[in-house]
Amino acid sequence: MTWILLYVVQNWLIVRGSVRRHRQLGMLGAGPALVMVVLGIVTTAMAIEQHRVPPFFPPGVFLVLDVLGVVGFGVLTAWAIAVRRQAAWHKRLMVCGTILVMSPALGRILPMPLLGKFAPLALFASMAVFVIAGMLYDLRLRGRIHPAYDWGGGVVVVPTVWWGRSASARRCCDWSSAWPHDRDRVNQAA
């Protein structure tokens, strides 16, 4: 929630023309972004260990997609900060990174239990709508899609496509689904 609030305030500052304040707040915002990546991974692992995974996601799918999403957010946000002087790249990479951390909120809005095995696909599709909207905006305003969407949109799309099509992703999901139980068995034997 803090990140979304920060994102909205940052956009408001730019629209208002307060570039200096936007930059100052942006430097402070790098801290919460780093914390989000670390806590996102830790929280996901703890949710699986404590059997608190939403019932419409197999634990392995939850682990893989959540970790890839939060790492993707971190990569896109770090890149956006690195190219902050190139406004066109910066704002598009930031929006794509922010889309990646919206998945829990979108998962609460969508009727996930009713979607069954299509729940991960529905979540991906809802995130893709935001990327596509940005691309369409570029087409209408600039006459072409900015290349930042190739990268940012790719980070949104690739984990879901990889998960859906890859045998190695399914093996990873199978392993991670068994992970907390195997660890408990090893700890009990010791």
Side-chain angles (χ1 to χ4, degrees), residues 28-171:
L28 292 174
L34 178 61
V35 170
M36 284 174 58
V37 172
V38 173
L39 286 181
I41 294 169
V42 170
T43 303
T44 299
M46 288 176 62
I48 291 171
E49 186 172 334
Q50 296 174 8
H51 309 286
R52 294 182 184 264
V53 176
F56 39 84
F57 278 113
V61 173
F62 182 77
L63 176 69
V64 170
L65 291 182
D66 269 21
V67 169
L68 288 175
V70 78
V71 168
F73 161 78
V75 168
L76 290 175
T77 301
W79 188 5
I81 292 168
V83 297
R84 64 189 173 273
R85 302 243 186 259
Q86 300 171 37
W89 278 90
H90 175 74
K91 66 183 173 183
R92 287 167 180 87
L93 292 172
M94 289 300 279
V95 77
C96 289
T98 300
I99 289 166
L100 284 167
V101 295
M102 288 176 23
S103 62
L106 293 169
R108 286 173 177 84
I109 294 169
L110 296 170
M112 298 299 268
L114 302 175
L115 298 172
K117 68 179 183 176
F118 297 107
L121 182 61
L123 192 57
F124 158 72
S126 63
M127 291 189 312
V129 164
F130 288 97
V131 176
I132 292 167
M135 295 168 102
L136 291 174
Y137 179 81
D138 266 6
L139 271 176
R140 182 172 168 88
L141 186 69
R142 302 171 71 234
R144 62 186 172 84
I145 297 170
H146 193 279
Y149 282 119
D150 295 340
W151 294 97
V155 172
V156 172
V157 170
V158 168
T160 303
V161 171
W162 173 73
W163 168 77
R165 302 273 184 214
S166 167
S168 63
R170 284 189 289 283
R171 280 194 300 277

